[in-house]
Amino acid sequence: ELKIQSENIIKQVSLQYIELQLLNEKHKIYENIDSLYVNILRGTTIRNKKGDISNLDLLNIQAKQQQVQFQLSEIKQSIDNTYFKLKTI
């Protein structure tokens, strides 16, 4: 019975560790996407002031960046939850 419990704990830790690695990679990807949107938004704002781009286009880019930032915060929350699960095993 002790062996079964030990194997169960090893399995749970392994699964949470894999989940944590996936979430960290996903976080890196979304940070890069967010960085791209920051740069795009900077250029779009300048072009909007010159009249090259409409306000609607500017708002669309802002909305997309906010979506990415929201997803980033969800990923951070998932990472925190996974760390907590690891600590409770």
Side-chain angles (χ1 to χ4, degrees):
E1 187 176 317
L2 186 59
K3 184 178 179 180
I4 292 172
Q5 287 178 343
S6 176
E7 288 175 1
N8 240 356
I9 290 173
I10 291 170
K11 181 180 175 182
Q12 289 176 6
V13 169
S14 295
L15 289 173
Q16 293 303 317
Y17 180 77
I18 290 169
E19 178 72 16
L20 192 56
Q21 295 304 312
L22 289 171
L23 288 169
N24 282 327
E25 288 301 315
K26 194 173 183 180
H27 187 263
K28 287 178 190 176
I29 291 168
Y30 275 92
E31 279 184 330
N32 288 335
I33 293 170
D34 183 54
S35 176
L36 290 172
Y37 271 114
V38 166
N39 291 332
I40 291 170
L41 188 58
R42 190 177 304 125
T44 304
T45 302
I46 292 168
R47 290 183 64 193
N48 177 263
K49 288 179 182 178
K50 291 180 181 179
D52 293 340
I53 291 181
S54 70
N55 287 337
L56 183 59
D57 290 333
L58 180 63
L59 288 174
N60 279 331
I61 292 171
Q62 288 172 337
K64 287 180 182 181
Q65 186 199 17
Q66 288 175 350
Q67 287 174 342
V68 170
Q69 287 176 341
F70 177 74
Q71 289 170 328
L72 259 173
S73 67
E74 284 185 331
I75 293 168
K76 288 177 187 175
Q77 184 65 41
S78 294
I79 289 171
D80 291 342
N81 289 341
T82 304
Y83 272 122
F84 180 76
K85 288 178 188 176
L86 270 171
K87 289 178 183 178
T88 59
I89 293 178

